[in-house]
């Protein structure tokens, strides 16, 4: 059936090149399922959404961090299906839209430490070592500062920083802010991408 004929047939799905019978709201079973899941479907005659349009439709740009609002991997990074094949990390796709392909051997690091942020200004390409150096604070840490933990035997805060699988000791402190400053100074001395 030609496209001109199919638009006049009220029994067929209203999307271009879809010959299936409609079941609800003018959609076939497949398109109705996409509609119910929140997909923005275009009417007959309009081109399909590009990957870039689909991507930005899933981003909340209301703050400094542009937050990915769709699917996520278990580790908290955004997941985006560029094609129907294997998905990619949302922040990597955002970086590549602006800067081109990620250079071989490099990872994309969040300067803001927000795994769901896809703001290209918050992303930069780093080595795997530099990426590990910019890890966030362990959520189990009582201090809330990287490299600072409570040391019960001495009843004080202990500063420790790992670098090349070796622990570097930064001292013991009774004041948490002094310990946090010591940890930042130690990271600045050891790391090339401490993030602070």
């Amino acid at each position: 059936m030609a496209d001109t004929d199919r638009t006049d047939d009220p029994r067929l799905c209203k999307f271009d090149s879809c010959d299936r019978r409609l079941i609800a709201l003018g959609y076939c079973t497949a398109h109705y399922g996409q509609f119910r899941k929140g997909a923005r479907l275009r009417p007959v005659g309009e081109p399909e959404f590009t990957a870039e349009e689909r991507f930005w439709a899933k981003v909340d740009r209301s703050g400094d961090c542009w937050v990915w609002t769709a699917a996520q991997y278990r580790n908290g990074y955004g997941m985006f299906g560029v094609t129907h094949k294997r998905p990619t990390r949302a922040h990597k796709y955002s970086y590549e839209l602006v800067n081109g392909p990620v250079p071989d051997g490099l990872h994309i690091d969040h300067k803001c430490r927000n795994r769901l942020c896809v703001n290209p200004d918050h992303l930069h390409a780093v080595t795997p070592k530099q990426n590990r150096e910019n890890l966030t604070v362990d959520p189990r840490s009582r201090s809330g500062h990287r490299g600072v933990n409570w040391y019960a035997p001495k009843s004080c805060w202990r500063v420790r920083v790992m670098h090349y699988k070796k622990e570097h000791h930064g001292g013991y402190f009774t004041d948490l802010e002094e310990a946090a400053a010591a940890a930042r100074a130690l990271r600045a001395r050891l790391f090339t991408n401490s993030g602070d």
Side-chain angles (χ1 to χ4, degrees):
M1 180 180 294
D3 280 343
T4 54
D5 297 331
R6 72 172 305 287
T7 55
D8 296 333
D9 189 343
R11 297 167 296 165
L12 294 179
C13 181
K14 65 181 180 179
F15 285 88
D16 221 1
S17 72
C18 183
D19 297 341
R20 293 176 285 216
R21 293 196 176 272
L22 61 88
I23 60 156
L25 299 175
Y27 303 127
C28 65
T29 304
H31 288 117
Y32 181 68
Q34 291 176 18
F35 171 77
R36 287 201 39 150
K37 290 178 182 175
R40 295 186 326 162
L41 301 174
R42 290 193 176 184
V44 173
E46 289 189 30
E48 291 293 317
F49 286 108
T50 65
E52 188 173 345
E53 287 174 318
R54 288 187 302 106
F55 178 81
W56 291 119
K58 299 172 185 190
V59 176
D60 175 7
R61 297 193 212 187
S62 61
D64 190 36
C65 282
W66 296 355
V67 180
W68 179 252
T69 61
Q72 297 176 25
Y73 290 98
R74 277 188 244 167
N75 61 7
Y77 288 100
M79 176 192 305
F80 178 63
V82 180
T83 65
H84 295 294
K85 296 180 181 177
R86 176 181 263 169
T88 187
R89 292 187 181 212
H91 67 283
K92 180 181 180 222
Y93 183 77
S94 175
Y95 176 89
E96 289 179 335
L97 280 175
V98 174
N99 302 297
V102 178
D104 287 340
L106 298 184
H107 295 194
I108 301 304
D109 182 40
H110 289 90
K111 296 175 191 175
C112 59
R113 297 193 184 131
N114 179 354
R115 290 181 177 190
L116 289 176
C117 179
V118 294
N119 183 341
D121 293 338
H122 293 192
L123 306 172
H124 60 144
V126 296
T127 65
K129 176 187 174 294
Q130 290 171 322
N131 198 25
R132 284 190 305 275
E133 291 173 356
N134 197 20
L135 293 174
T136 57
V137 176
D138 184 345
R140 298 167 294 181
S141 171
R142 287 178 48 193
S143 73
H145 297 279
R146 292 172 57 206
V148 179
N149 292 297
W150 182 250
Y151 188 60
K154 290 191 174 192
S155 297
C156 61
W157 298 104
R158 176 172 59 179
V159 173
R160 294 182 307 164
V161 174
M162 294 295 290
H163 188 247
Y164 284 119
K165 299 182 183 179
K166 181 180 176 192
E167 183 177 296
H168 295 264
H169 181 69
Y172 298 100
F173 301 86
T174 55
D175 181 63
L176 177 58
E177 293 309 315
E178 286 180 20
R184 282 192 298 273
L186 184 56
R187 281 195 306 275
R189 188 168 54 93
L190 296 172
F191 294 170
T192 58
N193 184 42
S194 65
D196 55 9

